[in-house]
Amino acid sequence: LADYKPRKIAKAKGGGVRPPAWEVTWQRFAAGESVDVIAATGEDGRSRTAGTIIAHLLTALTFAKPVDLQRLANSEEYGMPTLAEWHALEQACIAENVDIVRDKTYVGPTRLLQHVPNVARIAKAKADKAEVSDHDRRLFGAWCSKVRWFTALKRAAFPV
């Protein structure tokens, strides 16, 4: 499903191509570096958020790269979806008529989360650009993380 897209290097820097950022992150994680270390020391000298690093590693799964899911889940504040959360996201896909595996145009969690009972109100407020409380913002962030995991695991045909 995923399209491999190496990054072009400017002619001024020697030209050629280099691996995508997710692959560099995956190589470092596979070599034993922690999510926090990778986030703090990007290949280009810039730091990244742990969430970005986790997103890179979940992308690696969609390219059939082996990822230590237990180690990854332990690196993240929210971790993988529980079975009940997984089922809620499955139902949201049905309600939204989204095939998360085949739909490359699927762009984010807000559409799905509008169908998840515990977070639908917050997702609707976010979609309408309305203000939400700090508590609701954290809850929504946790569910966005769950959607990232759900999407990657579904695309990687991970058995549930």
Side-chain angles (χ1 to χ4, degrees), residues 7 18-29 38 43:
R7 298 177 287 176
R18 61 182 170 174
W22 68 261
E23 189 169 17
V24 174
T25 298
W26 171 76
Q27 290 167 343
R28 292 178 66 186
F29 188 77
I38 297 167
E43 66 175 317

Side-chain angles (χ1 to χ4, degrees), residues 90-142:
E90 289 273 12
Q91 291 303 310
C93 286
I94 292 167
E96 191 61 34
N97 196 25
V98 171
D99 183 339
I100 213 94
V101 174
R102 291 192 176 102
D103 187 357
K104 288 186 179 185
T105 62
Y106 168 74
V107 293
T110 303
R111 281 176 42 202
L112 287 183
L113 294 178
Q114 290 184 31
H115 301 282
V116 174
N118 295 347
V119 75
R121 171 188 55 77
I122 304 166
K124 175 84 171 89
K126 298 275 284 177
D128 293 341
K129 308 273 192 245
E131 285 294 316
V132 295
S133 70
D134 286 342
H135 173 268
D136 285 352
R137 194 175 349 277
R138 283 190 301 277
L139 179 60
F140 187 78

Side-chain angles (χ1 to χ4, degrees), residues 16-80:
V17 296
R18 61 182 170 174
W22 68 261
E23 189 169 17
V24 174
T25 298
W26 171 76
Q27 290 167 343
R28 292 178 66 186
F29 188 77
E33 290 185 57
S34 72
V35 167
D36 290 335
V37 167
I38 297 167
T41 57
E43 66 175 317
D44 56 2
R46 296 183 330 179
S47 62
R48 306 280 191 283
T49 66
T52 297
I53 301 307
I54 290 166
H56 286 180
L57 294 168
L58 292 173
T59 297
L61 274 180
T62 68
F63 283 95
K65 300 287 187 184
V67 176
D68 182 341
L69 294 177
Q70 186 65 49
R71 192 169 138 230
L72 183 58
N74 289 339
S75 311
E76 213 220 346
E77 184 177 357
Y78 308 113
M80 289 186 230

